[in-house]
Amino acid sequence: MLGLMSEKTIALVTGANKGIGYEIAAGLSALGWTVGVGARDERRGTDAVEKLRAAGADAFVVPLDVTDDESVTAAARLVEERAGRLDVLVNNAGIAGGWPEEPSTIDLETVRRLVETNVMGVIRVTNAMLPLLRRSAHPRIVNQSSHVGSLTLQTTPGVDLGGISGAYAPTKSFLNAVTIQYAKELSGTNILINNACPGYVATDLNGFSGTRTPEQGAAIAVRLAALPDDGPTGQTFDDSGVVPW
């Protein structure tokens, strides 16, 4: 198995059984890459893999709950057994709170739950996969952020980001800050790490109220996953270019 896979780019996408994550997996598969479909629900992950394979993809399911240490450790072990390394990690898994959601009345458990998934989950998975990424000749990490995480956009008069978000938006600002610190730590390596902003995509995260398709939202993450060795690192991008912090 390792011999057969050694010439292919190996990618892992968390939360890839549906929505934007599934389309990221499909987009990376279209590049001829082998893609691990990270899914908290293994059955749904298997269904997604079968759908990808029916379209000609080389994909395999990776049972993965980003909030669970044992699950993440097992996922890293599975990827190592399957491929011996990891070339691309896309931290796509995430959850949303209510919207609008005022901080003065928010349930603190909601905040904890979102931070655990949207921030600590990214750190947990990234740290577990870093040893495998260091074995790659062209390692890339893409974190799924959002325009609502931009403090610049949030404080720019006339910019409408959908109202007050007491939990979700701050977790994306937190994620942005974490990405910067990873970029600083990894600056002497060949690992490029960036954030992707998919835009307002119609998914179950927002009750399918978005104006973009999951395929459109996935495009920037696919681009960042395939950056050349001299590409940018430690930045946030959408389809138009750099998104301000």
Side-chain angles (χ1 to χ4, degrees):
M1 177 66 71
L2 290 181
L4 291 174
M5 300 181 76
S6 62
E7 299 303 317
K8 278 197 169 188
T9 297
I10 312 299
L12 171 65
V13 183
T14 68
N17 60 282
K18 61 181 179 178
I20 299 172
Y22 176 85
E23 293 300 338
I24 293 172
L28 299 181
S29 297
L31 299 177
W33 296 3
T34 297
V35 179
V37 174
R40 183 172 54 182
D41 185 315
E42 186 172 358
R43 181 187 62 78
R44 292 180 179 177
T46 299
D47 290 345
V49 165
E50 291 177 354
K51 183 178 177 182
L52 288 167
R53 287 178 176 172
D58 182 6
F60 63 99
V61 65
V62 181
L64 177 55
D65 180 349
V66 303
T67 68
D68 183 89
D69 290 339
E70 291 184 4
S71 175
V72 173
T73 298
R77 185 165 55 245
L78 188 155
V79 172
E80 181 172 26
E81 291 171 353
R82 288 276 310 205
R85 72 176 194 282
L86 183 63
D87 299 301
V88 173
L89 170 63
V90 181
N91 286 306
N92 167 77
I95 58 175
W99 204 295
E101 195 166 47
E102 297 178 342
S104 61
T105 57
I106 196 169
D107 177 11
L108 289 180
E109 187 53 40
T110 296
V111 179
R112 292 189 187 97
R113 183 168 55 87
L114 266 66
V115 170
E116 180 65 43
T117 299
N118 297 352
V119 182
M120 293 180 67
V122 171
I123 296 172
R124 183 179 288 110
V125 174
T126 299
N127 290 351
M129 299 299 167
L130 268 174
L132 298 177
L133 287 161
R134 293 185 190 277
R135 299 177 189 175
S136 171
H138 312 282
R140 307 287 180 262
I141 301 172
V142 181
N143 295 332
Q144 194 73 286
S145 188
S146 169
H147 292 100
V148 302
S150 167
L151 299 181
T152 298
L153 295 180
Q154 284 279 9
T155 56
T156 299
V159 174
D160 180 12
L161 294 177
I164 298 173
S165 170
Y168 179 76
T171 65
K172 293 305 181 178
S173 300
F174 192 171
L175 175 61
N176 290 352
V178 167
T179 297
I180 291 172
Q181 300 309 311
Y182 271 114
K184 291 170 69 174
E185 179 183 354
L186 299 171
S187 62
T189 75
N190 61 348
I191 301 176
L192 303 182
I193 178 169
N194 291 286
N195 287 350
C197 288
Y200 191 32
V201 177
T203 68
D204 57 3
L205 203 71
N206 54 39
F208 299 96
S209 62
T211 56
R212 310 189 78 207
T213 67
E215 185 176 7
Q216 289 173 323
I220 183 59
V222 172
R223 277 175 48 199
L224 293 173
L227 284 174
D229 290 341
D230 61 351
T233 192
Q235 298 185 58
T236 297
F237 295 89
D238 63 12
D239 289 342
S240 299
V242 176
V243 176
W245 298 116

